[in-house]
Amino acid sequence: MEEPKAKKGWEIAAQVEETKGFWERLVPEKSQMAGAVKGMVVLFVVFLLGWWLAGNPFEATKRIDSAYVKAMGWSGTDQWGIIWSVVAIAMIFEFMDATAGMGFGTALTPLLLLLGFDPKQIVPVVMIQQGIAGLVGAFLHREYENVEWSFKPMSETIKLWIYIALPGMLAVAFSVTAVYGILKVAKVWINLYVCALLLGMGLISFFQGISTKPRRYRPKMMIGFATLAGFNKGVGGGGYGPVVTIGGLLAGVPAKSMMAVTAISEGTVSSFSVLVWLAMLTGGVVIDYLLLPSIMIATIFTAVLAPWATRVFPERIWQVVVPAYSLILAFYSTYKSFPAIKKALLG
């Protein structure tokens, strides 16, 4: 009997655009609404977990004396609260992250540092959020017909996930343990590297995005991009989505499906990174989950709405929006990092 022909996994998104108009795509079907409710329930459960962890129930968790904690008078206590400014900021960047495949950790981490939080209050929490939001997003992208996942026969979307997730996990394990456990790499140089990388990739993909010339599909390009992205992820919780998503566009993957592949890959790598952080607790590293409830509140609705927005707007729009947003993130990150980079260079 002849084996069924493997699908790429992105045919369904093109078919939906060809057969359904804007208003038809705008109104979700009953099964899609049920899928959205399931996603929200999962995210709400993680919010409840964050509520518990924010009280520092374990010896390896404690309230870190960051500038924000001192200003709130929470030093030396297990006090905490929902930080609504963080909720508002996280909602904006989670929506953009889940629609454009990037931006949550890349944009949110510098802002939280400016608000006076410690990296160990930010990075592990961002990993948890990105882990669960990415996996829920991958499920919803399938429900909203932006992508198909097929193991038998294996679709190209599953192959891409493997190409991206495996080197990403190795890279994130190295960067987390090296930067936070062994070496003390100056974050300013990491920021400079990430800014330059985002700027270069954003420019290339933007000019390719406004071109009508189709790109040849080259999936193995993603191994290098995935390694870079995993390293970025482990260092600061961000810089993953831009590298993987833009890399996928350069490798010839359609934008809608690449955002779904980024979601499942980032969910996998971030979840693995959480395990690395938990393993580091045995070596004396301390984590503070203060921000987890606030960030999860922001995620409950935005992570569900974003894959629907990806379905509604045409592929052509995302081919321009994604690299343009990458450039905005690159300029934003450079602007925020410039004072520290200038100081380090002038020494």
Side-chain angles (χ1 to χ4, degrees):
M1 187 175 177
E2 189 178 343
E3 288 284 330
K5 187 178 179 181
K7 292 183 176 181
K8 296 288 188 185
W10 47 74
E11 297 91 343
I12 190 168
Q15 184 181 357
V16 167
E17 279 200 31
E18 289 171 5
T19 58
K20 296 181 180 180
F22 177 83
W23 295 109
E24 289 178 288
R25 298 197 302 271
L26 184 67
V27 180
E29 299 169 7
K30 285 185 178 179
S31 62
Q32 293 167 344
M33 289 190 285
V37 171
K38 291 176 186 176
M40 290 173 69
V41 169
V42 171
L43 294 168
F44 182 71
V45 169
V46 180
F47 162 72
L48 294 178
L49 176 64
W51 187 285
W52 175 60
L53 288 173
N56 296 320
F58 302 110
E59 188 177 340
T61 61
K62 71 176 184 180
R63 190 67 65 240
I64 294 173
D65 280 339
S66 61
Y68 187 91
V69 167
K70 290 177 181 177
M72 294 296 293
W74 293 342
S75 296
T77 73
D78 291 330
Q79 285 183 280
W80 66 278
I82 300 296
I83 305 166
W84 293 106
S85 58
V86 172
V87 174
I89 295 167
M91 284 185 73
I92 295 168
F93 289 120
E94 171 55 30
F95 183 79
M96 290 306 301
D97 184 272
T99 51
M102 66 186 83
F104 188 80
T106 307
L108 189 65
T109 299
L111 273 176
L112 293 178
L113 288 170
L114 284 174
L115 288 174
F117 294 98
D118 185 272
K120 290 176 186 175
Q121 291 172 320
I122 301 169
V123 178
V125 166
V126 168
M127 295 295 189
I128 293 171
Q129 188 275 346
Q130 291 284 269
I132 190 65
L135 297 176
V136 168
F139 164 73
L140 290 174
H141 274 295
R142 187 199 68 181
E143 293 294 297
Y144 288 126
E145 300 175 301
N146 296 324
V147 73
E148 284 182 302
W149 310 111
S150 174
F151 285 92
K152 193 174 180 181
M154 187 177 289
S155 63
E156 285 297 323
T157 48
I158 292 293
K159 291 178 184 177
L160 276 171
W161 173 33
I162 295 169
Y163 281 139
I164 297 168
L166 290 181
M169 287 190 290
L170 292 175
V172 83
F174 167 77
S175 60
V176 168
T177 53
V179 174
Y180 292 97
I182 302 171
L183 305 174
K184 301 298 178 184
V185 179
K187 200 170 189 322
V188 61
W189 302 120
I190 300 298
N191 285 345
L192 179 60
Y193 144 75
V194 172
C195 292
L197 186 66
L198 293 184
L199 188 59
M201 292 183 68
L203 285 169
I204 293 169
S205 61
F206 181 76
F207 285 113
Q208 291 207 2
I210 60 177
S211 168
T212 56
K213 184 180 178 181
R215 290 183 287 270
R216 183 166 61 90
Y217 178 52
R218 294 173 291 175
K220 292 185 180 178
M221 281 179 62
M222 295 309 301
I223 296 174
F225 288 126
T227 303
L228 282 174
F231 178 79
N232 296 347
K233 188 67 160 175
V235 171
Y240 184 91
V243 175
V244 167
T245 305
I246 296 299
L249 298 184
L250 296 176
V253 184
K256 286 190 177 185
S257 295
M258 191 59 225
M259 288 183 274
V261 171
T262 298
I264 193 171
S265 302
E266 187 161 18
T268 305
V269 172
S270 296
S271 298
F272 179 76
S273 177
V274 172
L275 297 179
V276 175
W277 272 98
L278 292 177
M280 287 174 61
L281 294 179
T282 60
V285 174
V286 173
I287 293 176
D288 186 353
Y289 293 103
L290 171 68
L291 290 168
L292 188 54
S294 301
I295 285 178
M296 288 311 303
I297 286 179
T299 305
I300 290 172
F301 298 103
T302 49
V304 171
L305 286 173
W308 166 79
T310 302
R311 164 192 169 89
V312 170
F313 294 100
E315 171 82 16
R316 184 65 183 154
I317 288 179
W318 296 113
Q319 287 175 344
V320 177
V321 167
V322 171
Y325 184 51
S326 174
L327 284 173
I328 292 169
L329 287 176
F331 285 120
Y332 166 81
S333 300
T334 304
Y335 169 74
K336 290 297 182 184
S337 304
F338 182 73
I341 293 171
K342 181 180 177 181
K343 183 179 177 180
L345 290 172
L346 297 177

